[in-house]
Amino acid sequence: PDAQDPAVQGALQPLRVAPSGQPALEPEGVTAGGAEADRPRVLLVEDNAEVRAFVAEVLGETCTVMAASDGEEGLAQARAWQPDLIVSDVMMPRLSGDRFLAALRAERAFDTVPVLLLSARADDALRVRLLQQGAQDYLVKPFAPAELQVRVRNLLAAKRAGDLLRGELHTLETDLESLGRQMQVRHRALQTALDATA
């Protein structure tokens, strides 16, 4: 695709989504129609209720947020909801953030879904290991709300651009397959005509 194409340029710009009320913290609170349908969907996986409410409020300004209290619940919700982005704590009961990340990366449905991990540990080795295992970003607590918003916006913009480019590539591949079939038909027709005149 042409880098100057307005659609490509639009995808590369940070998402501009107008706020529309409080974030949804439960599955039944997520709406599928109206303005909510245009908002990026973020799955928040955090076992601390206060942190979960804080992050949901920050992200709820521009996104539709669904919250889970641990990795097992988060994995089930991710499969059912297909979020655009996942924000997860690292230290959690039942299924920790690193195991949750591994489970996500083992399923093709989440290949293109970015994961932002939150941790109270400023551990460079842990951060590098989790980034190597498929996380797109790692943010140390406590963090400024503006920093979280910028990181989330950048990850969503990158995913949107990637989705657009993958769509363009799929269209191109489909067009090439169609062209190839047309050439085969014409080649057979030409060969039949040549055989008839021989």
Side-chain angles (χ1 to χ4, degrees):
D2 186 352
Q4 300 303 316
D5 184 88
V8 175
Q9 288 297 317
L12 294 175
Q13 293 300 318
L15 296 179
R16 296 182 181 87
V17 185
S20 64
Q22 294 300 312
L25 295 182
E26 299 297 336
E28 59 270 19
V30 179
T31 58
E36 292 291 321
D38 298 327
R39 291 159 61 92
R41 296 178 300 175
V42 177
L43 173 61
L44 169 61
V45 187
E46 168 64 63
D47 63 311
N48 183 294
E50 290 183 4
V51 175
R52 189 166 63 243
F54 166 71
V55 174
E57 182 177 359
V58 170
L59 298 183
E61 294 179 12
T62 56
C63 304
T64 298
V65 179
M66 179 183 287
S69 59
D70 60 56
E72 284 189 10
E73 183 184 349
L75 192 58
Q77 290 189 7
R79 289 168 176 157
W81 197 43
Q82 291 297 308
D84 299 305
L85 169 70
I86 297 171
V87 178
S88 175
D89 188 23
V90 173
M91 302 298 294
M92 295 184 293
R94 295 211 298 168
L95 189 65
S96 62
D98 57 338
R99 291 172 55 211
F100 173 56
L101 175 65
L104 289 171
R105 293 304 176 227
E107 298 187 24
R108 293 195 61 183
F110 304 112
D111 282 352
T112 63
V113 177
V115 176
L116 166 60
L117 293 174
L118 307 176
S119 177
R121 295 173 56 188
D123 185 329
D124 289 341
L126 175 64
R127 184 181 74 249
V128 169
R129 178 169 62 83
L130 292 172
L131 292 172
Q132 288 174 335
Q133 291 176 353
Q136 276 63 47
D137 205 350
Y138 183 102
L139 185 58
V140 178
K141 305 173 186 176
F143 47 80
E147 181 178 5
L148 176 62
Q149 289 173 332
V150 167
R151 288 175 184 256
V152 164
R153 185 177 67 223
N154 289 344
L155 289 172
L156 287 169
K159 180 183 186 301
R160 189 174 176 188
D163 289 346
L164 177 64
L165 293 174
R166 280 186 289 274
E168 294 282 350
L169 180 59
H170 177 71
T171 300
L172 179 60
E173 289 174 346
T174 301
D175 290 346
L176 288 174
E177 289 176 3
S178 177
L179 180 60
R181 287 193 296 270
Q182 290 176 27
M183 290 179 66
Q184 288 177 353
V185 169
R186 291 178 183 175
H187 176 74
R188 285 195 295 268
L190 178 60
Q191 188 64 51
T192 300
L194 290 174
D195 290 346
T197 60

